[in-house]
Amino acid sequence: MKLALDLARRGGSSVAPNPMVGAVIVKDGKVIGQGYHRFFGGPHAEAEAIRSVKHSADLVGATLYVTLEPCDSFGKQPPCTRAIEKAGIMRVVAGSRDPSMKESRIKNQELRIKGKKQELRMMKGEIAEECERLNKFFFKWVRTKMPYLTAKVAVSADGFMAGEHGKFIRITTTEQDREVHALRASHQAIMVSATTVINDDSHLGVRPRRGPLGGHVPGEDPLRIIIDSHLRSPLSAKVFRNTHTLLVCLGTNPIKQIKRYADLGISVWCAPGRSHVSLKALFRYLGKRGVSSILAEPGPTFYSILKKAGLIDETIAFHGKGKIGKGLRFPE
């Protein structure tokens, strides 16, 4: 199952909003096939693993280890349970349940598949918990129809996130910056407020990372989401150079002003709300669009707003060694 988990992680955000899934086929104590879900809409891990076995006769009586319960319905791909049954695989060990299935095929940890002597079992313990954590974005999205929100913050040694009046001050190291870009690449979207756009003027992209054999591996840029109730962001901001951007504002703004941003080629969504956009309405909208994960990079005020709204699922704090002295503190 650990090999299946390693395989599953290769899918990364390319499979979103689908789950990351890895599969390994074992017979007589030897691995004879393996595969993983590579991209959204592509073949499932089970089908990839079955296809990787050179001789189909070797599949008869084999055991399939898969990180997520095999699907049993038609979607972009046919049901994996049918492929497993057809291959003659006798035993399936799943790392976690699939909450998107209307009725789980697993009852009392064991099930005979389609009348044959095939057995489906669930893993328990630490490895099962790891399989669950692997797809925390997917599970949250399926169960609530809203994306999983990770809040990333940088905090100085004396507890500040920014200088006076929100002035940008570098807190993180170069190595920590690499971790931030890896975090961005693992999420479908990055979200900031207009204040961050004004103060930091970041492009909010993913920098290329160094590959295992040298050189650089380009990261896929997530959707950029700018929360700007009253359209304060300058049109010249770096973030608007990439059209894979969603600007969220109030519908009460003048149409001409909204059009100025739309003319840049970016998407604009007018959210409900009185003085500020309704973040919960936004999250429901994004969930319907298939966005299962968001990395927020908030300042102190926006972080407090997200926390008060109950939208933060996880906070990741990067701690700097230097002190700022005075400015905006991290809200406890």
Side-chain angles (χ1 to χ4, degrees), residues 27 67 93 253 261 277 279:
K27 188 173 184 180
T67 55
V93 181
N253 286 290
Y261 291 91
V277 302
L279 291 173

Side-chain angles (χ1 to χ4, degrees), residues 223-242:
L223 170 69
R224 299 157 170 84
I225 302 171
I226 313 302
I227 310 300
D228 192 353
S229 298
H230 305 290
L231 298 178
R232 297 185 298 123
S233 300
L235 294 167
S236 59
K238 293 176 183 176
V239 70
F240 296 136
R241 296 176 188 174
N242 189 304

Side-chain angles (χ1 to χ4, degrees), residues 90-300:
M90 297 302 291
R91 185 167 180 260
V92 177
V93 181
S96 57
R97 297 178 186 271
D98 185 349
S100 67
M101 293 173 65
K102 292 182 179 179
E103 182 178 351
S104 176
R105 291 181 56 82
I106 301 173
K107 294 179 180 178
N108 299 321
Q109 310 303 325
E110 188 174 316
L111 181 72
R112 303 292 177 180
I113 302 176
K114 306 268 185 174
K116 291 194 174 184
K117 292 182 180 180
Q118 292 163 308
E119 186 180 313
L120 184 57
R121 289 185 177 273
M122 288 295 300
M123 292 287 292
K124 295 182 179 180
E126 291 184 10
I127 195 74
E129 292 173 2
E130 192 172 350
C131 288
E132 182 84 14
R133 287 194 299 270
L134 174 71
N135 285 307
K136 59 187 178 182
F137 300 161
F138 172 72
F139 292 144
K140 166 76 183 291
W141 178 66
V142 167
R143 291 164 179 158
T144 67
K145 307 302 180 186
M146 293 171 68
Y148 184 104
L149 180 65
T150 306
K152 186 278 297 181
V153 297
V155 185
S156 68
D158 51 353
F160 290 94
M161 292 179 66
E164 290 184 286
H165 310 296
K167 180 182 178 182
F168 172 75
I169 296 177
R170 183 178 177 83
I171 295 173
T172 55
T173 64
T174 302
E175 183 58 36
Q176 288 174 321
D177 287 345
R178 292 194 189 100
E179 293 181 46
V180 169
H181 282 271
L183 261 181
R184 288 180 177 178
S186 69
H187 290 70
Q188 278 182 278
I190 302 171
M191 184 170 67
V192 298
S193 67
T195 300
T196 296
V197 172
I198 294 167
N199 291 338
D200 296 3
D201 195 22
S202 170
H203 63 84
L204 297 178
V206 177
R207 292 174 191 154
R209 63 188 188 279
R210 185 162 294 279
L213 301 178
H216 287 84
V217 181
E220 183 178 346
D221 280 346
L223 170 69
R224 299 157 170 84
I225 302 171
I226 313 302
I227 310 300
D228 192 353
S229 298
H230 305 290
L231 298 178
R232 297 185 298 123
S233 300
L235 294 167
S236 59
K238 293 176 183 176
V239 70
F240 296 136
R241 296 176 188 174
N242 189 304
T243 55
H244 192 42
T245 299
L246 175 66
L247 180 67
V248 183
C249 66
L250 288 171
T252 53
N253 286 290
I255 297 297
K256 286 185 178 180
Q257 192 174 358
I258 294 173
K259 189 175 181 300
R260 290 171 65 195
Y261 291 91
D263 286 344
L264 295 175
I266 66 171
S267 299
V268 179
W269 188 65
C270 295
R274 294 184 178 179
S275 57
H276 295 88
V277 302
S278 168
L279 291 173
K280 288 188 176 179
L282 169 64
F283 272 54
R284 287 192 290 269
Y285 168 74
L286 292 170
K288 289 179 181 179
R289 283 188 58 179
V291 177
S292 62
S293 62
I294 299 173
L295 176 68
E297 300 189 10

Side-chain angles (χ1 to χ4, degrees), residues 48-64:
E48 288 277 275
I50 291 171
R51 192 178 296 119
S52 73
V53 178
K54 292 183 179 180
H55 305 291
S56 58
D58 293 339
L59 290 163
V60 178
T63 296
L64 171 69

Side-chain angles (χ1 to χ4, degrees), residues 33-75:
Q34 59 185 44
Y36 66 97
H37 186 34
R38 297 172 182 268
F39 58 90
F40 178 72
H44 291 184
E46 298 94 325
E48 288 277 275
I50 291 171
R51 192 178 296 119
S52 73
V53 178
K54 292 183 179 180
H55 305 291
S56 58
D58 293 339
L59 290 163
V60 178
T63 296
L64 171 69
Y65 292 86
V66 61
T67 55
L68 185 70
E69 176 184 4
C71 65
D72 191 35
S73 60
F74 281 93

